[in-house]
Amino acid sequence: MAKILSDLGYKVITSNDARSAHLEDMTESDIIFFDMKMPRMDGLQVLDFLASHYIKSSIVLMSGAETEVLASA
């Protein structure tokens, strides 16, 4: 996904750890893609962090898990 977006001209920053992803630096023009099941910090914790820091970026939730996981988020 990062390569596709980069090839389309977007600046892409990736992270394997939501805690080190610099989420607090996101702006309204940024789009955040994240998996609901991640090590150390799951997707619901990321959503909680974004809400508590009033981050208004667009969010795309992804998961290979059950559809209920995405629906609950």
Side-chain angles (χ1 to χ4, degrees), residues 19 21-27 49-50 53 55:
R19 291 183 179 166
H22 304 287
L23 295 173
E24 65 276 358
D25 296 330
M26 298 291 165
T27 68
F49 176 88
L50 296 172
H53 286 80
I55 295 172

Side-chain angles (χ1 to χ4, degrees), residues 1-14 30-34 60 62:
M1 181 178 292
K3 176 154 178 33
I4 291 169
L5 292 170
S6 182
D7 288 348
L8 290 171
Y10 293 96
K11 178 182 175 189
V12 177
I13 299 170
T14 62
D30 293 319
I31 300 173
I32 304 170
F33 293 85
F34 64 89
V60 178
M62 302 178 296

Side-chain angles (χ1 to χ4, degrees), residues 17-19 21 23 32-36 38 41-53 55 59 61:
D17 185 347
R19 291 183 179 166
L23 295 173
I32 304 170
F33 293 85
F34 64 89
D35 195 322
M36 292 301 296
M38 298 178 285
M41 184 182 228
D42 69 26
L44 293 177
Q45 290 170 309
V46 173
L47 286 173
D48 184 52
F49 176 88
L50 296 172
S52 68
H53 286 80
I55 295 172
I59 299 170
L61 305 176

